[in-house]
Amino acid sequence: MRYIEDFLKPTFAFYFLIISLFTNAQQKQPIYFTKTEICAAYPKQMTGWFDAVEHNFDFKSLPKTGKPDSLQIIVKLVVLKTGRINEIYYHSGDKSLLNPVSNLLANSGKWIPAMQGGIYVGAYRWLRLEFKFDIERNSWKFVRNPDDYNKNLKL
């Protein structure tokens, strides 16, 4: 009887290990860094990002009048280690900006991924976009604020 128990113990442990590895492989969630040595950036850095917003944002989606006279949104996005934007999360601000900002980010092209320990990694990135209504021109204008792009966005 003892020989059977000694035989079953390693076999049971082996099968348990195989099953647990198989289930963990199916449920594996990607890991994204929140703090990195070098944060993800737009290819031409801050000025390139500001130019991209001014040229590619759908200003027609904003209200026709200047009420309210200022709109802003803060989003958290995931930049993969390949430089592609994977996920966009609403954090705060005017929810009517979420779709146009999501379209802007989805069509923004490849970003420079974050770097940790000399290796490109997937990481979260915070962005704030603010728009003001220019009464003289009767149109919306993107506000170029370096603090909205920088790594240490104050929330």
Side-chain angles (χ1 to χ4, degrees):
M1 191 70 168
R2 182 170 168 93
Y3 296 111
I4 294 174
E5 290 175 4
D6 290 342
F7 175 76
L8 288 179
K9 282 182 185 176
T11 308
F12 177 75
F14 173 75
Y15 286 121
F16 180 76
L17 177 66
I18 295 298
I19 290 170
S20 65
L21 288 174
F22 180 72
T23 56
N24 283 341
Q26 288 181 336
Q27 298 175 357
K28 187 176 180 182
Q29 296 292 326
I31 298 172
Y32 303 123
F33 285 76
T34 54
K35 293 184 178 181
T36 56
E37 294 169 357
I38 300 172
C39 70
Y42 195 71
K44 294 180 183 174
Q45 299 297 330
M46 183 173 52
T47 55
W49 171 244
F50 290 160
D51 292 341
V53 171
E54 288 177 345
H55 291 92
N56 300 326
F57 185 77
D58 182 18
F59 285 95
K60 294 175 187 171
S61 64
L62 299 177
K64 302 286 185 236
T65 63
K67 305 277 186 205
D69 64 344
S70 173
L71 296 172
Q72 80 167 5
I73 186 169
I74 298 175
V75 292
K76 178 169 91 169
L77 51 125
V78 175
V79 180
L80 299 176
K81 63 183 175 181
T82 60
R84 190 172 58 86
I85 292 179
N86 189 32
E87 299 169 23
I88 302 165
Y89 301 100
Y90 167 82
H91 181 266
S92 64
D94 192 334
K95 284 192 176 184
S96 67
L97 292 174
L98 185 58
N99 282 340
V101 167
S102 295
N103 290 337
L104 170 73
L105 290 167
N107 297 321
S108 65
K110 197 171 178 181
W111 285 54
I112 301 168
M115 191 173 274
Q116 182 69 29
I119 300 170
Y120 288 128
V121 295
Y124 292 104
R125 178 80 160 92
W126 293 89
L127 285 173
R128 178 182 9 226
L129 290 105
E130 185 177 359
F131 303 91
K132 291 205 182 231
F133 191 76
D134 187 353
I135 296 172
E136 294 173 5
R137 294 184 180 175
N138 198 29
S139 64
W140 288 94
K141 180 181 172 187
F142 172 65
V143 178
R144 289 177 168 248
N145 185 350
D147 292 335
D148 295 347
Y149 177 83
N150 287 339
K151 180 179 176 180
N152 299 320
L153 183 62
K154 303 292 184 205
L155 300 177

